């Protein structure tokens, strides 16, 4: 018997919002997001208030358990989303038409951009780990390193070597950890400074996107160049990006630039799928004391202020830095760590949003309630 949404919802209607009271179930209460089924894998989110997140962890586990009991289901990923109930219009300014108007890329179903207002906030590290988390969801994933001036994907994925020209005209990308990757870093030495002007950069990015044999890819993660200049704007206008993810550290200076990033994407009608706060907390490995080196919850507050979803936070974690330098990303090499779980949860949430927005493309003007 194949797994259906109806069956999943039926199972979920046995999960109460609060076991201790005579409460409604999570389906009745409207807390269950769009359900995505891919063969034997089921993905969905349960929404709750930020204050109830701990309490809802029990509900989340229970929901996972009941769906897993359905015959034919092998993997269940349930994430808790703690956004405001404010409606988010992923179809803002008729976004659907815009994506469709841009020339699609052979073999690639969806493209998301991972961007940041400034460099050094962990954008590339986040893009690579998210790509691995998307792969963990069972998706075929590619990553395009569009950070021409500071390509770091080769190092982060531990890829050495040069892409070959394929049998046809297209370039064969390289692969690591089952992720297909293309980067300027494959073509020039790490030490060689790129002194190209904007139009040359745009032409190089366009070639890396359109003249590469990506194969069949569910999701291409584009690691954008930092900032909001001409290159970023031209890219956003020409690449069929379904949504963007903004990475910021929590301090004011980074957030000012993150805000510029949000408004750039909004200007070119690309929905902002959400903000990720990177390096949010630091737990001292010796004494366990938690400190907020770059400030506290800045990105979360910014998300609220800008009216875009908050996707979650990633701590400042020594293992992330060490793994990045060694080309051994944490999601691959320490999948059980808190950080990897956070990346997985965020990827799950983004994938659900992408699937919801896909629906909206067919029926414009529907507002998606988170
Ligand atoms: P960007 O792409 O924004 O320029 P990178 O991803 O290259 O930033 O990260 C900059 C540095 O910060 C790298 O050395 C990386 O390993 C480190 N880094 C990124 N995120 C974290 C984190 N959450 N914890 C610890 N180090 C991190």
């Amino acid at each position: 018997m194949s797994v259906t949404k109806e069956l999943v919802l039926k199972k979920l209607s046995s999960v109460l919002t609060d076991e201790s009271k005579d409460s409604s179930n999570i389906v009745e209460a409207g807390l269950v997001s769009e359900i995505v089924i891919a063969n034997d894998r089921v993905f969905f989110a349960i929404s709750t208030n930020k204050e109830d997140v701990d309490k809802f962890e029990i509900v989340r586990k229970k929901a996972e358990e009941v769906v897993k009991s359905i015959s034919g289901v092998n993997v269940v990923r349930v994430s808790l989303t703690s956004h405001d109930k404010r409606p988010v219009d992923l179809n803002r300014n008729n976004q659907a038409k815009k994506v469709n108007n841009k020339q699609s890329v052979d073999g690639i179903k969806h493209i998301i951009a991972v961007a940041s207002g400034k460099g050094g906030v962990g954008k590339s590290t986040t893009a690579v780990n998210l790509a691995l988390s998307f792969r963990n969801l069972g998706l075929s994933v590619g990553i395009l390193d569009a950070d021409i001036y500071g390509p770091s994907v080769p190092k982060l994925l531990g890829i050495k070597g040069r892409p070959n020209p394929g049998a046809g005209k297209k370039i064969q990308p390289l692969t690591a950890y089952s992720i297909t990757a293309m980067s300027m870093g494959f073509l020039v030495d790490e030490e060689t400074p790129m002194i190209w002007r904007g139009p040359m950069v745009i032409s190089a990015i366009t070639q890396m996107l359109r003249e590469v044999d990506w194969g069949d890819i569910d999701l291409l993660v584009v690691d954008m160049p930092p900032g909001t200049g001409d290159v970023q704007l031209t890219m956003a206008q020409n690449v069929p990006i379904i949504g963007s993810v903004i990475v910021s550290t929590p301090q004011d200076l980074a957030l000012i630039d993150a805000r510029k990033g949000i408004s750039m994407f909004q200007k070119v009608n690309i929905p902002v799928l959400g903000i990720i706060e990177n390096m949010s907390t630091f737990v001292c490995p010796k004494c366990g004391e938690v400190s907020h080196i770059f400030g506290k919850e800045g990105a979360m507050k910014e998300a609220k202020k800008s009216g875009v979803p908050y996707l979650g936070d990633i701590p400042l974690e020594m293992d992330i830095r060490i793994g990045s330098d060694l080309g051994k990303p944490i999601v691959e090499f320490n999948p059980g760590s808190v950080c990897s779980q956070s990346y997985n949860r965020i990827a799950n949430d983004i994938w659900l949003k992408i699937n919801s927005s896909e629906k909206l493309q067919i029926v414009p003007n529907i507002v998606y309630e988170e």
Side-chain angles (χ1 to χ4, degrees), residues 133-148:
S133 294
F134 287 124
R135 181 214 57 189
N136 289 347
L137 293 176
L139 305 172
S140 53
V141 180
I143 186 161
L144 169 63
D145 186 355
D147 195 345
I148 297 279

Side-chain angles (χ1 to χ4, degrees), residues 116 118-126 147 152 156 278-279 314-318 320-321 324-325 343:
S116 67
K118 59 174 349 83
V121 298
K123 168 186 55 62
S124 301
T125 307
T126 307
D147 195 345
S152 38
L156 290 167
N278 191 33
M279 310 188 192
I314 307 290
L316 178 64
E317 169 64 57
M318 187 105 77
I320 294 184
R321 205 272 306 148
S324 300
D325 283 354
Y343 285 122

Side-chain angles (χ1 to χ4, degrees), residues 44-111:
F44 60 93
I46 300 171
S47 59
T48 177
N49 299 320
K50 187 166 180 279
E51 305 76 52
D52 292 334
V53 163
D54 288 344
K55 197 179 83 184
F56 261 68
E57 181 54 24
I58 301 164
V59 176
R60 191 191 69 79
K61 284 206 172 116
K62 179 87 189 146
E64 212 164 65
E65 218 172 86
V66 297
V67 177
K68 230 177 197 161
S69 73
I70 300 173
S71 120
V73 173
N74 274 324
V75 177
V76 184
R77 300 252 190 238
V78 187
S79 57
L80 287 180
T81 49
S82 58
H83 311 304
D84 294 344
K85 275 282 180 190
R86 185 178 26 207
V88 172
D89 186 0
L90 281 179
N91 203 29
R92 197 178 171 124
N93 298 339
N94 223 352
Q95 156 61 17
K97 257 185 151 176
K98 282 280 174 193
V99 170
N100 291 338
N101 283 348
K102 289 176 196 166
Q103 193 197 342
S104 60
V105 183
D106 278 355
I108 298 178
K109 279 202 196 116
H110 300 297
I111 302 179

Side-chain angles (χ1 to χ4, degrees), residues 305-322:
K305 222 158 74 188
S306 308
V308 298
Y310 179 64
L311 289 167
D313 53 77
I314 307 290
L316 178 64
E317 169 64 57
M318 187 105 77
D319 285 351
I320 294 184
R321 205 272 306 148
I322 294 171

Side-chain angles (χ1 to χ4, degrees), residues 213-285:
D213 181 8
W214 290 103
D216 280 331
I217 295 233
D218 293 316
L219 188 61
L220 181 76
V221 176
V222 178
D223 180 12
M224 292 282 284
T228 49
D230 275 354
V231 171
Q232 293 82 348
L233 194 62
T234 311
M235 260 194 87
Q237 279 167 332
N238 292 307
V239 178
I241 298 167
I242 192 157
S244 62
V245 173
I246 309 283
V247 179
S248 180
T249 43
Q251 78 271 35
D252 285 350
L253 274 178
L255 289 166
I256 291 170
D257 289 335
R259 207 171 300 148
K260 286 186 201 156
I262 293 171
S263 70
M264 179 191 83
F265 283 110
Q266 289 176 338
K267 263 189 201 128
V268 292
N269 305 318
I270 292 176
V272 177
L273 298 167
I275 302 184
I276 297 174
E277 181 168 293
N278 191 33
M279 310 188 192
S280 60
T281 49
F282 175 71
V283 181
C284 172

